[in-house]
Amino acid sequence: MKIINSTLQLLGIALLVSCGNAGTVSAVQTNNEQTIQMADKIKIDELTTTLTKLKNGQTEFDFIGITSNGIDCLYFVYEKGKFNLEFESMVEEQTPFIDKLKEFAQMYELESVMTTYGNQPHYQSLTPAPVIRIESNSTLEEVVALGRKIQAEIFENNSTTVYDVVP
């Protein structure tokens, strides 16, 4: 049994798919038993249902992210009754998308601001990982449309793309 538990623990660590630091698979040890927690998987058409849970306080945090590959991780933040979007560049492959998202925001006349959460990126940088925040102050329906548009136009995903929900 110890061999199985050790194997599961290593598997949980090895299978971490991420948006930088946010894992979608994690191993949890309780009462000498190993449990592997898997991320929910959705298609973009199911985003409304997922964000409704966020809006109703049925998620662990006041935000959720979706990613199909660890790079295209778009966060939906719910605060003060409105939704905003965020994207954090934690790995080198994400950095070009900061500028693309700035351009997207300008094109659709949305305010964007650069910030950071102080996370150290997984590439050489003397500064914390940059975060672009698109302050859309959207309703549920509006942010779903924005999320769909960003995933299609910026990340070239479509209606068949399967996303992990993070965290």
Side-chain angles (χ1 to χ4, degrees), residues 23-37:
T24 59
V25 177
S26 62
V28 177
Q29 182 89 28
T30 57
N31 298 330
N32 293 328
E33 291 184 19
Q34 189 76 30
T35 303
I36 295 180
Q37 298 175 327

Side-chain angles (χ1 to χ4, degrees), residues 42-48 66 147-148 151 158-159 161 163:
I42 65 168
K43 291 187 180 177
I44 202 75
D45 290 341
E46 299 165 285
L47 185 57
T48 300
I66 60 170
R148 181 185 303 268
Q151 286 296 343
N158 60 44
S159 63
T161 302
Y163 299 94

Side-chain angles (χ1 to χ4, degrees), residues 6-18 23-27 34 36 38:
S6 296
T7 302
L8 287 174
Q9 193 170 31
L10 289 174
L11 179 65
I13 293 167
L15 289 177
L16 285 177
V17 175
S18 70
T24 59
V25 177
S26 62
Q34 189 76 30
I36 295 180
M38 302 295 288

Side-chain angles (χ1 to χ4, degrees), residues 5-166:
N5 284 342
S6 296
T7 302
L8 287 174
Q9 193 170 31
L10 289 174
L11 179 65
I13 293 167
L15 289 177
L16 285 177
V17 175
S18 70
C19 296
N21 288 329
T24 59
V25 177
S26 62
V28 177
Q29 182 89 28
T30 57
N31 298 330
N32 293 328
E33 291 184 19
Q34 189 76 30
T35 303
I36 295 180
Q37 298 175 327
M38 302 295 288
D40 289 338
K41 295 195 178 298
I42 65 168
K43 291 187 180 177
I44 202 75
D45 290 341
E46 299 165 285
L47 185 57
T48 300
T49 302
T50 302
L51 292 179
T52 298
K53 290 177 186 175
L54 175 62
K55 182 178 177 180
N56 293 336
Q58 298 170 315
T59 58
E60 188 175 352
F61 301 102
D62 59 357
F63 65 90
I64 61 108
I66 60 170
T67 183
S68 69
N69 59 15
I71 303 300
D72 61 356
C73 194
L74 185 63
Y75 287 96
F76 298 82
V77 181
Y78 187 68
E79 55 196 3
K80 299 177 186 169
K82 297 290 183 178
F83 288 94
N84 293 299
L85 299 161
E86 294 185 354
F87 179 83
E88 183 175 34
S89 177
M90 288 298 296
V91 294
E92 189 79 38
E93 295 84 0
Q94 291 176 312
T95 57
F97 293 107
I98 295 284
D99 287 335
K100 289 180 181 184
L101 287 164
K102 281 182 191 176
E103 291 170 13
F104 176 91
Q106 287 176 340
M107 185 169 38
Y108 290 99
E109 298 179 354
L110 298 167
E111 184 178 343
S112 68
V113 294
M114 293 303 299
T115 188
T116 185
Y117 290 111
N119 296 322
Q120 184 59 42
H122 301 288
Y123 54 87
Q124 279 207 337
S125 176
L126 298 175
T127 60
V131 175
I132 183 168
R133 179 178 172 88
I134 298 175
E135 295 186 341
S136 62
N137 294 310
S138 300
T139 65
L140 176 65
E141 296 79 16
E142 292 167 338
V143 82
V144 167
L146 276 174
R148 181 185 303 268
K149 193 174 288 272
I150 288 171
Q151 286 296 343
E153 293 180 18
I154 304 298
F155 299 113
E156 300 180 0
N157 291 326
N158 60 44
S159 63
T160 63
T161 302
V162 176
Y163 299 94
D164 289 325
V165 177
V166 294

